[in-house]
Amino acid sequence: YELTQPPSVSVSPGQTARITCSGDAFSKQYAYWYHQKPGQAPVLVIYKDNERPSGIPERISGSTSGTIVTLIINGVQAEDEADYYCQSTDSSGSYPVFGGGTKLTVL
Amino acid sequence: QVRLQQWGAGLLKPSETLSLTCAVYGESFTGDAWTWIRQSPEKGLEWIGEINHAGSTNYSPSLKSRVTLSVDTSKKQFSLKMHYVTAADTAMYYCSRGRLLYGDFLGFDTWGQGTLVTVSS
């Protein structure tokens, strides 16, 4: 994958989860984040690095630092348990690519 | 609020043609990138290609030789054909809207329910 994510992240309820995604694309391109629960289609949770679509709670945010982007979930709840995918474009900026996904486990 | 509903054959034999269609409900068909994305345990989420209301297309370089996208604006539907499928094409296939606003890409904000396509002899 052109975008690298940790396979898993675990947090206790109420804590802050940080899921990173690294890739050269982020030095020039925006980051997008999706969550996906079993048997469901992905859902957009962050676009253009740190914008939230309507209906996504404020405790979900995004940050960037060079070639690493981070999805931050404050006050993690059981309902946040899902797979999370980052997305940007390939190194030439021609087409979308996704990270391999991170499984967020709420302990 | 836009909604996507997709359909197509779920079981194919090697060398056959995968054919899926996605209908768009609720909003205008113009201005966005109507997209196909697939997901498998081996390759994760993989962008296949996109088409707009005018029929302009972009394809993944790795699939371009086998994929054709088409659009029917009168029905607000877009379709995917993938030729000469193999077991490696077994995946969940999703249609999606790539939201565009004044040239800015705002993400894949709406997805179909998915179609599991299995290629097996």
Side-chain angles (χ1 to χ4, degrees):
Chain A
Y1 298 105
E2 294 190 41
L3 305 180
T4 302
Q5 299 181 236
S8 63
V9 168
S10 299
V11 295
S12 299
Q15 290 191 329
T16 297
R18 293 180 175 83
I19 299 172
T20 59
C21 179
S22 64
D24 291 341
F26 295 124
S27 61
K28 301 177 184 177
Q29 308 289 344
Y30 287 120
Y32 305 80
W33 289 94
Y34 305 82
H35 77 213
Q36 185 180 33
K37 297 184 179 180
Q40 298 182 19
V43 173
L44 179 69
V45 296
I46 291 289
Y47 65 95
K48 291 180 67 176
D49 290 345
N50 55 18
E51 300 288 338
R52 275 186 308 275
S54 61
I56 301 301
E58 291 183 7
R59 58 192 184 81
I60 295 177
S61 62
S63 71
T64 68
S65 179
T67 59
I68 299 176
V69 298
T70 305
L71 179 71
I72 302 165
I73 307 174
N74 291 308
V76 165
Q77 304 174 3
E79 68 189 43
D80 297 321
E81 188 163 282
D83 293 327
Y84 288 82
Y85 296 90
C86 59
Q87 179 246 311
S88 186
T89 62
D90 75 303
S91 54
S92 67
S94 300
Y95 59 89
V97 292
F98 293 87
T102 299
K103 181 175 180 57
L104 175 64
T105 300
V106 181
L107 300 171
Chain B
Q1 187 83 351
V2 67
R3 182 173 64 89
L4 303 181
Q5 183 163 3
Q6 60 184 97
W7 64 90
L11 181 60
L12 298 171
K13 291 182 167 51
S15 81
E16 291 185 336
T17 295
L18 180 160
S19 182
L20 299 174
T21 298
C22 185
V24 180
Y25 299 99
E27 285 194 11
S28 172
F29 198 53
T30 61
D32 295 309
W34 303 102
T35 303
W36 291 95
I37 294 167
R38 68 181 182 180
Q39 184 175 28
S40 65
E42 296 78 20
K43 295 185 178 179
L45 288 164
E46 182 181 16
W47 180 82
I48 298 170
E50 66 185 24
I51 189 167
N52 67 12
H53 70 283
S56 179
T57 56
N58 288 304
Y59 297 111
S60 166
S62 65
L63 298 171
K64 185 174 184 176
S65 64
R66 297 193 294 126
V67 168
T68 303
L69 301 188
S70 59
V71 65
D72 185 334
T73 54
S74 66
K75 295 181 179 179
K76 291 176 63 177
Q77 294 177 1
F78 61 105
S79 298
L80 163 69
K81 288 191 186 299
M82 182 180 292
H83 307 283
Y84 306 110
V85 296
T86 70
D89 295 312
T90 294
M92 182 71 77
Y93 286 73
Y94 294 100
C95 61
S96 180
R97 180 176 75 167
R99 191 78 172 101
L100 297 173
L101 186 64
Y102 306 120
D104 252 358
F105 176 64
L106 304 187
F108 298 111
D109 71 341
T110 307
W111 297 64
Q113 77 277 21
T115 301
L116 179 61
V117 174
T118 302
V119 180
S120 175
S121 56

